[in-house]
Amino acid sequence: MYKYNKKKTFSLAMIIIPWLTIPFMGKKSFLRFLPVASFINLFLSVFSLTANQKKWWINKNPLSPGYVDFSYILGPYYVATLWIFKLTYGNFPKYLITNMMLDLVNAFPFGSISEKVGIFKFQKMKHVTWYFICVGLSVFIYGFQYLVEQSIRGTSNSQSNQ
């Protein structure tokens, strides 16, 4: 019973604590980077389905039983994506270095803590593989955000010309 409560507490904290920082971000930044955060989290959810089927990892989260760990995806991953873009977008080297450092924390200490608590376990995938996947995804979503921004600028420019 104690182990289940520890898992539940950890999972709840993973969801709640990151979202407590969102009011400090500002509404404009939140709305600006909401599409990229939503996109990568949808992608990560689909990726999780594949990863579980191929036994790359196992999700044992009591709050989101099943193949996708929504506590992680909708908590720290989602909010971190928003903050990283708010603080670094427009300066790709800064963005990439920040992502590489946070992905390092995500893959190793955070991954190990999640395994110790018992809510997540890598099986056929190694922590280092997860690190490189996250870094690769960060480069991909920077391009996605660039396209979103270009699309918005193009739409507003064409409307102002009419």
Side-chain angles (χ1 to χ4, degrees), residues 108-142:
F108 294 98
F110 190 73
S112 296
I113 291 167
S114 295
E115 287 181 348
K116 268 191 177 142
V117 172
I119 62 169
F120 178 85
K121 177 141 177 70
F122 281 114
Q123 279 192 312
K124 292 181 180 177
M125 183 181 284
K126 305 252 186 252
H127 291 263
V128 71
T129 306
W130 177 239
Y131 169 75
F132 284 113
I133 288 171
C134 288
V135 171
L137 288 173
S138 71
V139 172
F140 177 71
I141 64 172
Y142 193 89

